[in-house]
Amino acid sequence: MNHGAQAYNRLNIATAVESANSQQLVKLMLDGALARLIRAKGCIVHHDIEGRNVSLDTALGIIGALQGCLDHERGGSLAENLDSLYDYMQRRLFRANVDSDVKAIEEVIDLVRTLKDAWDAIDQTTRPAHPVHASASTVQLS
C-alpha cells in the first residue's frame, strides 16, 4: 500500500473511532483483531516471521484491551465468560506465534468472528425502526 493510501486509511480509522459509541468501538476492535489474525496467517504461509510477530502482537493487544474493558460488576456471568474466552484466545495466539501454528490462528479467527456476529446481531436489534440517514461528514469510504 502506498503512503498516501496508508495515511488516508489511518485518518479514516481515527475518524471512525472518534465518532463511535462503545458498541461500535468493540466492533471496530473485533474487525481490527480479525484483520491482524488473517494477516498473521498469511505471514506464516509466506515465512514472514517479522510480519507474523507484529500481526499477532497487535491482535493480542486488541484482545487484551477488550478483556480489560469488561465490567465484572455489572456484567456478571457474561463478563466472566468473555474474560475466560479472551484468556483462551490469548493463550492460543501465544502458542501460535511460538509454533507458527496456522490452525490455532484459524481457531481464534472463528471465535472472533462469532463474537463479531453476536455484536452485529445486537446492533440489528437496537437500531431504530426507521433508518436515520447519515450526513456526508459521517460516511466512511473504506
Side-chain angles (χ1 to χ4, degrees):
M1 190 181 301
N2 69 38
H3 294 293
Q6 288 174 340
Y8 175 79
N9 193 30
R10 281 191 301 274
L11 177 63
N12 202 24
I13 290 169
T15 302
V17 168
E18 287 174 9
S19 63
N21 63 33
S22 59
Q23 184 175 340
Q24 292 165 328
L25 283 173
V26 170
K27 290 171 61 173
L28 286 169
M29 291 172 77
L30 292 170
D31 283 338
L34 276 173
R36 286 359 176 263
L37 292 169
I38 291 166
R39 184 173 186 278
K41 185 178 156 187
C43 288
I44 289 173
V45 170
H46 296 289
H47 308 289
D48 177 1
I49 295 168
E50 182 179 349
R52 176 198 71 202
N53 290 338
V54 169
S55 297
L56 287 176
D57 284 348
T58 305
L60 282 162
I62 292 168
I63 293 168
L66 287 165
Q67 186 176 29
C69 292
L70 293 173
D71 184 344
H72 290 276
E73 283 185 31
R74 295 188 317 172
S77 63
L78 178 60
E80 286 179 36
N81 291 338
L82 284 171
D83 188 55
S84 295
L85 181 62
Y86 291 141
D87 183 61
Y88 175 77
M89 285 191 244
Q90 290 173 7
R91 285 185 283 118
R92 292 296 289 152
L93 293 178
F94 281 124
R95 240 11 282 167
N97 202 11
V98 170
D99 299 335
S100 292
D101 187 352
V102 171
K103 290 193 185 301
I105 295 172
E106 289 171 344
E107 178 185 2
V108 176
I109 287 171
D110 288 342
L111 292 169
V112 172
R113 281 189 176 137
T114 300
L115 284 175
K116 175 118 174 36
D117 290 346
W119 278 100
D120 288 343
I122 291 168
D123 192 34
Q124 292 298 320
T125 61
T126 60
R127 285 194 181 159
H130 302 287
V132 177
H133 297 285
S135 69
S137 64
T138 62
V139 174
Q140 300 296 313
L141 303 173
S142 56

